């Protein structure tokens, strides 16, 4: 495989002012950085599944230019594996189909691997892209943090410490009681990440294909008008995406942190932290995963220290990729109960997310009322703070107002009544949250 040409093209990518960092469209097989044999296999498998096919349709499916596919099909025709089924007036208006020999060859290829999607990019090009865009992505600034959290109820130092971790590209641990707003804070941190990243649909490692692009993770960014025009001349094996935020909780297992082989497609799926490259990888409920927290963190020790992660194919072949995701860990437990001192030291920033002041809590309650389309009621709010919180000793946590008001709406919808914030409705919502008998025996009576 010839990586040199493709790598030299990637090295000429535009600077930060010209983002997105999408390579130019390859015009020849050599410029793709791929072996002709791989492209022939993909094209033959695509034809096997669709039969007689227009050349333009194959460019969309395989994400290769017309010029590259013409070169591939010239080879297929010369080898008597494919033939022109129909030709129109223009060079683009042509349809191909497999010959009998071509169908036999394609069937054998499909038996080994059914993948017939986007052509992959070389591993060397993927590495070069991650390294380049990592250096060009804008760091998070104090002004970004101030703008995102303007009017937020949490203490300013919480936002500033979390913002500093993102600015320094260091790992972050958010800890505090359930309902303190840690998960919401982590997701909002993702909105601080400006710019976009280039994500390949697939990467080839030796003879194996690794799928990287995940539509559930990689969302298209808001593009300036000129970027759409530039996209037509760029390599469509790459997608321009907003910087990703990948959020996993107790379901995270060791198998999700390594390459996963899919026997049906014959391909590998990239692990979660690779999909999060250029963005945030949030691990929620730390300490409740199927593997111990120290072991989970240990999986990333070398990657956090060196900026590179080692992945392994099923046959044992190992290869390195840049580690370019900022890790955010979240736990409801005391950090010392979840991690040993050595593991805890490896996390760059530790930020406690605790109760908020009464004034901030009241402001947040009113804010959430407006957000959910409810009329705020001062008597109900005073009852919530002065009676329910104080009597129970429950701290004033940022997650409580939304949880209470959401239940009020749910109860009202169930009864087919308009939702109203009253001491009784607040009491009913509170009792449903904390398994307590409501003080207002009348339930939802005002």
């Amino acid at each position: 495989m010839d990586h040199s040409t493709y790598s030299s093209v990637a090295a000429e990518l535009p600077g930060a002012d010209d983002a997105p960092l999408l390579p130019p469209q390859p015009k020849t097989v050599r410029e793709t950085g791929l072996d002709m044999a791989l492209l022939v296999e993909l094209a033959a498998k695509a034809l096997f599944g669709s039969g007689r096919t227009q050349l333009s349709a194959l460019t969309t499916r395989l994400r290769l230019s017309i010029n590259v596919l013409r070169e591939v099909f010239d080879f297929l025709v010369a080898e008597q594996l494919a033939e022109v089924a129909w030709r129109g007036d223009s060079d683009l208006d042509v349809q191909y189909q497999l010959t009998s020999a071509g169908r036999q060859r394609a069937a054998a290829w499909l038996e080994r691997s059914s993948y017939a999607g986007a052509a992959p990019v070389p591993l060397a090009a993927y590495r070069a892209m991650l390294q380049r865009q990592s250096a060009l992505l804008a760091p998070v600034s104090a002004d970004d943090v101030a703008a995102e959290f303007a009017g937020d109820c949490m203490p300013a130092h919480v936002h500033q410490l979390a913002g500093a971790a993102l600015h320094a590209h260091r790992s972050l641990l958010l800890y505090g009681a359930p309902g303190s707003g840690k998960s919401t804070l982590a997701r909002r941190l993702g909105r601080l990440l400006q710019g976009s990243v280039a994500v390949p649909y697939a990467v080839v490692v030796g003879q194996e294909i690794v799928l990287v692009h995940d539509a559930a993770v990689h969302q298209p960014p808001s593009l300036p008008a000129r970027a759409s025009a530039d996209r037509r001349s760029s390599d469509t094996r790459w997608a321009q995406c907003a910087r990703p935020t990948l959020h996993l909780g107790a379901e995270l297992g060791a198998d999700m942190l390594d390459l996963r082989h899919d026997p049906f497609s014959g391909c590998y799926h990239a692990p979660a932290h690779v999909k999060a490259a250029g963005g945030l990888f949030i691990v929620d409920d730390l300490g409740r995963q199927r593997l111990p927290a120290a072991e989970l963190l240990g999986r990333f020790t070398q990657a956090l220290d060196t900026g590179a992660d080692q992945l392994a194919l099923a046959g044992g072949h190992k290869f390195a990729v840049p580690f370019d995701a900022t890790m955010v860990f979240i736990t409801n437990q005391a950090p010392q109960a979840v991690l040993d001192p050595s593991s805890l030291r490896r996390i760059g920033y530790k930020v406690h997310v605790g109760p908020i002041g009464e004034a901030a809590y009241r402001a947040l309650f009113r804010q959430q009322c407006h957000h959910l389309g409810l009329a705020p009621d001062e008597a109900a709010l005073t009852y919530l703070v002065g009676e329910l919180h104080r009597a129970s000793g429950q701290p004033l946590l940022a997650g409580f107002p939304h949880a209470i008001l959401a239940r009020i709406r749910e109860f009202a919808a169930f009864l087919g009544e308009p939702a109203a914030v009253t001491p009784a409705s607040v009491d009913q919502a509170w009792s449903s949250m904390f398994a307590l008998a409501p003080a207002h025996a009348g339930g939802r009576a005002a």
Side-chain angles (χ1 to χ4, degrees), residues 40 75 96 103 137 145 147 150 159 185 216 403:
V40 164
F75 181 90
Y96 288 93
R103 285 192 296 273
L137 288 170
V145 173
H159 302 142
L185 171 61

Side-chain angles (χ1 to χ4, degrees), residues 130-141:
L130 286 181
Q131 291 168 346
R132 181 168 177 78
Q133 70 187 12
S134 177
L136 293 175
L137 288 170
V140 172
S141 70

Side-chain angles (χ1 to χ4, degrees), residues 73-392:
F73 277 99
D74 284 348
F75 181 90
L76 280 164
V77 169
E79 294 295 314
Q80 298 183 347
L81 298 175
E83 59 190 5
V84 175
W86 182 84
R87 190 184 297 278
D89 296 332
S90 72
D91 291 341
L92 300 179
D93 198 8
V94 58
Q95 296 178 5
Y96 288 93
Q97 64 186 18
L98 293 175
T99 63
S100 176
R103 285 192 296 273
Q104 291 179 6
R105 188 76 61 84
W109 284 327
L110 284 164
E111 189 173 342
R112 182 179 63 84
S113 168
S114 63
Y115 181 77
V121 303
L123 176 60
Y126 178 55
R127 288 172 176 154
M129 179 66 79
L130 286 181
Q131 291 168 346
R132 181 168 177 78
Q133 70 187 12
S134 177
L136 293 175
L137 288 170
V140 172
S141 70
D143 289 343
D144 296 331
V145 173
E148 171 62 31
F149 295 104
D152 191 84
C153 64
M154 284 188 185
H157 75 272
V158 171
H159 302 142
Q160 291 168 355
L161 284 172
L166 265 62
H167 175 85
H169 202 52
R170 299 184 68 181
S171 55
L172 170 66
L173 173 67
L174 300 176
Y175 65 97
S180 57
K182 302 180 299 298
S183 298
T184 299
L185 171 61
R187 287 191 292 270
R188 290 185 68 180
L189 291 176
R191 300 196 329 225
L192 293 171
L193 303 181
Q194 302 299 312
S196 57
V197 293
V199 180
Y201 288 92
V203 175
V204 64
V205 182
Q207 301 299 313
E208 304 294 343
I209 291 177
V210 178
L211 304 181
V212 177
H213 186 272
D214 184 338
V217 176
H218 301 118
Q219 303 294 321
S222 299
L223 294 177
R226 66 175 179 83
S228 297
D230 293 344
R231 188 72 182 95
R232 291 193 294 269
S233 61
S234 61
D235 190 343
T236 53
R237 293 178 297 170
W238 298 83
Q240 181 195 353
C241 304
R243 295 174 68 178
T245 296
L246 200 158
H247 194 156
L248 294 174
E251 76 276 14
L252 176 62
D255 57 322
M256 300 173 70
L257 302 177
D258 293 309
L259 291 171
R260 180 174 62 84
H261 186 259
D262 180 2
F264 177 77
S265 67
C267 297
Y268 289 84
H269 291 268
H273 57 283
V274 171
K275 294 179 182 179
L280 289 189
F281 179 32
I282 302 172
V283 179
D284 213 335
D285 284 330
L286 183 66
R288 301 187 185 278
Q289 282 75 27
R290 289 172 285 168
L291 67 165
E295 183 179 332
L296 190 156
L297 183 60
R299 167 64 180 81
F300 297 108
T301 297
Q302 182 178 3
L304 290 169
D305 290 342
T306 66
D309 188 38
Q310 292 286 332
L311 300 175
L313 300 172
H317 172 70
K318 293 184 178 181
F319 62 96
V321 294
F323 185 83
D324 192 36
T326 298
M327 300 203 68
V328 179
F329 300 97
I330 303 172
T331 183
N332 296 330
Q333 305 176 56
Q336 295 78 6
V338 181
L339 296 168
D340 58 58
S342 176
S343 299
L344 200 54
R345 280 197 305 271
R346 294 192 181 105
I347 297 178
Y349 282 69
K350 280 74 82 171
V351 180
H352 179 249
V353 184
I356 59 178
E358 182 176 329
Y361 188 89
R362 287 175 176 271
L364 179 60
F365 186 90
R366 298 184 192 104
Q367 182 187 86
Q368 288 296 318
C369 282
H370 291 300
H371 177 70
L372 295 173
L374 299 170
D377 181 85
E378 291 303 314
L381 178 52
T382 297
Y383 173 71
L384 171 62
V385 175
E387 298 293 333
L388 297 179
H389 273 287
R390 286 177 184 163
S392 66

